[in-house]
Amino acid sequence: MPQLKLSYFDMHGGRAEPVRLALHIGGVAFDDHRFTFPEFAEVRKATPFGQVPTLDVDGTQFTQSDALLRFAGKLSGLYPTDPLQALYCDEVTYVVEEAGAKMGPTFRMSGEEQKAARLALVNGSMPVYLGWLQQRLQAQGGEFFADGRLTVADLKVWVDVRALNSGRFDHVPTDLVERVAPALNAHMQRIGETPAIKAYYAQFAAK
């Protein structure tokens, strides 16, 4: 097994969280390197594009969160080997990433500018993305997004829906997902009860 070092902000959520979860669930050892937001200015100097997460594999640094997630999924057995099921999995992860890219610029805004931008998403693209994800989930049987089992696609959606429900995003109603895609909320609750996921977060609560 390669030596792994995953670098990201010290937070529960964001682009690295599905990667952390996949490695943890698969029992894959890795250095979970976390840093504070003020430290990011220095950390980004050593990254290819001034962005995180990054993953060092035997000393070689890699970037792009979905590529890292797929790699983590292969190491942990959470990525389909069947090409069609892998396509289902990739499609879902890319849709979540695309939706997140629309939200990203609003973090650099404040006040009325941020409010207007986020309300435009809440009343525009967010319900479209959430509705599509719900449709895909239901088409796959309603429990998992691909391969009839837990995959990195489920982890990617779980982290995203959990964040939308958390109240951490100003001007994004915490009941948005429940209103427009209740099956995704049911999926979030079910995936959150996975023993390995509960154990992962319990270790932080114990500190």
Side-chain angles (χ1 to χ4, degrees):
M1 190 67 70
Q3 296 293 309
L4 306 177
K5 177 183 178 181
L6 180 65
S7 298
Y8 197 64
F9 297 104
D10 188 9
M11 59 182 287
H12 294 320
R15 285 187 163 104
E17 195 76 347
V19 182
R20 290 170 175 157
L21 288 170
L23 294 173
H24 173 79
I25 292 170
V28 179
F30 70 104
D31 177 6
D32 187 5
H33 177 229
R34 299 175 182 236
F35 51 86
T36 64
F37 285 95
E39 291 174 317
F40 178 52
E42 188 63 29
V43 170
R44 71 187 308 169
K45 295 177 182 177
T47 67
F49 308 117
Q51 300 173 347
V52 288
T54 60
L55 181 69
D56 286 82
V57 182
D58 290 335
T60 299
Q61 187 181 73
F62 294 89
T63 185
Q64 298 300 319
S65 56
D66 280 337
L68 307 186
L69 181 59
R70 192 181 304 112
F71 178 70
K74 291 176 179 179
L75 292 181
S76 61
L78 295 177
Y79 186 78
T81 56
D82 177 78
L84 179 59
Q85 294 305 315
L87 177 59
Y88 277 120
C89 190
D90 288 344
E91 184 186 39
V92 167
T93 61
Y94 294 164
V95 164
V96 175
E97 191 66 21
E98 183 176 305
K102 292 182 182 297
M103 183 73 161
T106 70
F107 290 101
R108 296 187 290 272
M109 302 174 186
S110 60
E112 289 301 314
E113 182 187 25
Q114 184 185 76
K115 180 178 180 180
R118 287 190 174 173
L119 287 180
L121 295 175
V122 167
N123 295 313
S125 64
M126 277 188 181
V128 175
Y129 284 115
L130 292 169
W132 182 91
L133 287 168
Q134 175 172 261
Q135 182 182 36
R136 263 294 188 254
L137 178 65
Q138 292 172 330
Q140 288 289 326
E143 190 171 0
F144 302 108
F145 279 97
D147 219 23
R149 63 186 181 93
L150 182 71
T151 67
V152 292
D154 298 292
L155 299 180
K156 182 89 170 184
V157 174
W158 185 80
V159 169
D160 185 60
V161 171
R162 187 167 176 253
L164 290 175
N165 289 346
S166 69
R168 291 191 289 111
F169 301 147
D170 291 343
H171 317 299
V172 176
T174 56
D175 66 345
L176 175 66
V177 179
E178 182 60 34
R179 284 192 284 109
V180 304
L184 293 186
N185 258 356
H187 172 270
M188 181 201 70
Q189 293 163 6
R190 186 171 56 254
I191 298 302
E193 290 301 310
T194 302
I197 292 179
K198 293 180 72 173
Y200 175 76
Y201 289 107
Q203 68 179 321
F204 296 100
K207 293 181 179 179

